[in-house]
Each structure stands twice: as C-alpha cells, then as structure tokens.
C-alpha cells in the first residue's frame, strides 16, 4: 500500500522502506511488461546507493517466474571506476542483490569498463550503448539523438545529489556526449555517468528517497524551493522531455514535507 500525493510530478509515499522496495519491484515489472509488449525488449538503467538493494525483490516470487528476463537489458546511470568485484562497484552491488538471482542473459548486462581511465571508460560505455541503438534494442528519442531508455532509476542522496549531479559542481549536460567522466565531492573514486540529456530522454524516470537523512533534501526537491543561493536543487534538472517522472519515498523521507504542508497535500491509497 502507498499514498499517491497530488503533486507534479507524482509522489508515491510508502509506510517504510520494505514497502517501498515492494512497490518499486512491482513498478519495474509493470514497465518491463509494457516495454516488451510494445517493442520486444526492456532497458533498465540503475544508479548506486541503496537502489540495488531496493530491487532485491525482483529476484523472488512472483517476478522471478513471470518477468521475461531474456528481453531485459541492464545499464548504469553511474558507475565507480573500481575493479569489477570491488564492493564499491554498482555492478557488483546489483549482481549480489538481484542480477545473480534472475536469468538475464549475461550479454544483456552492459558493463562500464574497469581498469581504464575515466574518459576511456566513458567512451567505451557510450560505444556499447550506440551499438544497441543500431540494432534497435534501445530506441532513439524522437526529440533528441539520445537513447530512449525504458526506465531510469535514480537516488536522492542526503546531500541533495541525484545520480552524479551535485550542488556546486558542473552538471554533465553535454549535448554531444551520452556518457562522461565525473568526480564526486564525497569520494575520491573516479566515476562515469550518463549525461543529463540522456536521463531526460527516458520514457520513465524514478527518483527514490528513503530514510530520515534524506527528509530535508526531499522536502526541498518536491516543494520546489532553492536549497542554497548558488542554484536550484539538482532534482529540478530531472525533467523527462516526453516521459514520466515519479518519486518513490518512504514515510521517514517524506515526513518533513508532510509537516511543512500542514496537511495541505491530498493523498489517495493504492
């Protein structure tokens, strides 16, 4: 069960992180069914943080039996340039959480190269994506030349970051690049990330906020207020051109916004 708050974009609030995980798995499964029915394949783009863990229920019933796993293709909105088996690898985190528990063909897990410099890794990863557009496994956006992924899942960090978009740092929004090397202000690890035009070309984008440490940034993101004087919230940059944006939050993350609105938000149960 969740509450849908009457906001733009849509906000779904779950009682706790366990229910959020269940709701996210159900949403991913539904979008995958629609994509496979429409085009014969489904492209899922993941970010780091707790996203891999939240998707763990995809590896259990009923999804493990009902999803058309052979049609799934998995990509990364961001990836740390660490050895493939390193615990900070988002690929490895996703593999442990659910990829190893479902029969997605290994060739359909599109990796970011490891053990090479950032620019080389970004170029190689972008080349892999372009090859899948040539085979029409991933369609091109009718509005831009970017890939039109079926579903991109991002995470709101306690510091207000989304994917690899940070306050006070340049946003990877190059029109000519789909993937770029970035540096995080919170970690010395080098990273590659999809650029903003690629994220905004997706058919569906989900941003997840969980835990009380994300309450302030979630409130500021959804309420549309500026978090500081240097610029607007990174969340305000996520605006799918021809797609749908939905927030998934647990009650701990949504609590401050609920109090701020003094009951001014209407909600329906689903």
């Amino acid at each position: 069960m969740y509450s849908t708050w009457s906001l733009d974009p849509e906000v779904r609030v779950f009682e706790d992180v366990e229910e959020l995980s269940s709701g996210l798995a159900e949403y991913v499964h539904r979008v995958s069914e629609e994509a496979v029915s429409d085009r014969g394949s489904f492209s899922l783009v993941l970010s780091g943080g707790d996203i891999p863990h939240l998707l763990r229920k995809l590896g259990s019933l009923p999804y493990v039996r009902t999803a058309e796993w052979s049609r799934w293709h998995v990509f990364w909105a961001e990836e740390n340039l660490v050895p493939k088996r390193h615990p900070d690898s988002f690929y490895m985190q996703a593999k442990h959480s659910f990829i190893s528990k479902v029969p997605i063909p290994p060739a359909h897990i599109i990796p970011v190269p490891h053990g090479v410099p950032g620019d080389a890794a970004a170029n190689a990863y972008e080349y892999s994506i372009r090859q899948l557009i040539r085979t029409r496994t991933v369609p091109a956006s009718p509005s831009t030349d970017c890939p039109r992924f079926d579903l991109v899942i991002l995470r709101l960090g306690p510091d207000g970051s989304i994917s690899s978009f940070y306050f006070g740092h340049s946003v990877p929004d190059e029109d000519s690049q789909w993937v770029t090397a970035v540096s995080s202000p919170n970690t010395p690890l080098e990273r590659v990330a999809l650029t903003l035009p690629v994220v905004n070309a997706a058919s569906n984008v989900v941003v997840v906020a969980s835990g009380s440490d994300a309450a302030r940034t979630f409130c500021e993101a959804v309420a549309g207020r500026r978090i500081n004087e240097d610029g607007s919230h990174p969340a305000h940059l996520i605006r799918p051109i021809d797609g749908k944006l939905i927030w998934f939050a647990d009650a701990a993350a949504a609590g401050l916004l609920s109090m701020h609105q003094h009951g001014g938000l209407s909600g329906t149960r689903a």
Side-chain angles (χ1 to χ4, degrees):
M1 298 288 289
Y2 63 89
S3 296
T4 300
W5 289 10
S6 299
L7 294 169
D8 185 18
E10 178 183 334
V11 176
R12 298 184 181 183
V13 178
F14 298 82
E15 291 183 7
D16 53 38
V17 71
E18 193 69 16
E19 286 202 2
L20 190 158
S21 179
S22 297
L24 187 60
E26 174 60 29
Y27 183 78
V28 173
H29 182 249
R30 181 173 65 78
V31 174
S32 75
E33 288 186 315
E34 293 172 354
V36 170
S37 176
D38 291 343
R39 298 186 300 97
S41 66
F42 169 59
S43 52
L44 174 64
V45 183
L46 304 179
S47 60
D50 57 355
I51 298 302
H53 180 68
L54 289 174
L55 292 175
R56 68 193 183 280
K57 295 189 177 183
L58 288 170
S60 60
L61 294 175
Y63 312 114
V64 71
R65 290 185 179 177
T66 58
E68 296 190 60
W69 298 109
S70 64
R71 307 295 182 90
W72 284 46
H73 295 77
V74 180
F75 302 82
W76 315 97
E78 55 180 345
E79 174 62 299
N80 291 319
L81 296 182
V82 294
K84 197 171 184 178
R85 297 182 180 276
H86 194 282
D88 287 329
S89 165
F90 298 148
Y91 160 82
M92 184 54 59
Q93 293 170 14
K95 181 178 180 180
H96 284 322
S97 297
F98 84 95
I99 289 177
S100 63
K101 300 174 174 60
V102 299
I104 301 175
H108 290 190
I109 310 298
I110 313 304
V112 173
H114 295 74
V116 297
D119 288 340
N123 291 338
Y125 181 44
E126 180 170 323
Y127 177 80
S128 298
I129 297 172
R130 290 186 182 276
Q131 292 298 104
L132 291 174
I133 287 185
R134 291 189 180 99
T135 62
R136 299 187 178 181
T137 301
V138 178
S141 168
S143 303
T144 68
D145 292 331
C146 294
R148 184 167 173 79
F149 292 114
D150 293 309
L151 176 58
V152 176
I153 304 179
L154 308 175
R155 176 182 182 270
L156 176 70
D159 59 352
S161 63
I162 290 189
S163 182
S164 291
F165 309 141
Y166 300 92
F167 286 112
H169 292 256
S170 59
V171 173
D173 62 350
E174 297 89 342
D175 292 330
S176 61
Q177 287 183 275
W178 295 351
V179 184
T180 187
V182 297
S183 59
S184 165
N186 301 325
T187 173
L189 297 176
E190 192 173 18
R191 179 178 294 180
V192 300
L194 297 180
T195 58
L196 185 63
V198 174
V199 172
N200 284 333
S203 296
N204 300 275
V205 179
V206 165
V207 182
V208 176
S210 63
S212 58
D213 58 348
R216 182 177 68 91
T217 52
F218 175 73
C219 179
E220 289 163 338
V222 174
R225 300 201 316 275
R226 296 167 76 89
I227 192 171
N228 57 27
E229 296 179 356
D230 296 328
S232 62
H233 201 293
H236 303 158
L237 302 173
I238 310 299
R239 297 188 295 267
I241 297 172
D242 299 309
K244 183 175 184 179
L245 171 62
I246 300 180
W247 282 84
F248 279 59
D250 64 6
L256 187 59
L257 178 62
S258 180
M259 289 188 293
H260 174 74
Q261 295 293 328
H262 297 293
L265 295 174
S266 61
T268 58
R269 300 291 291 185

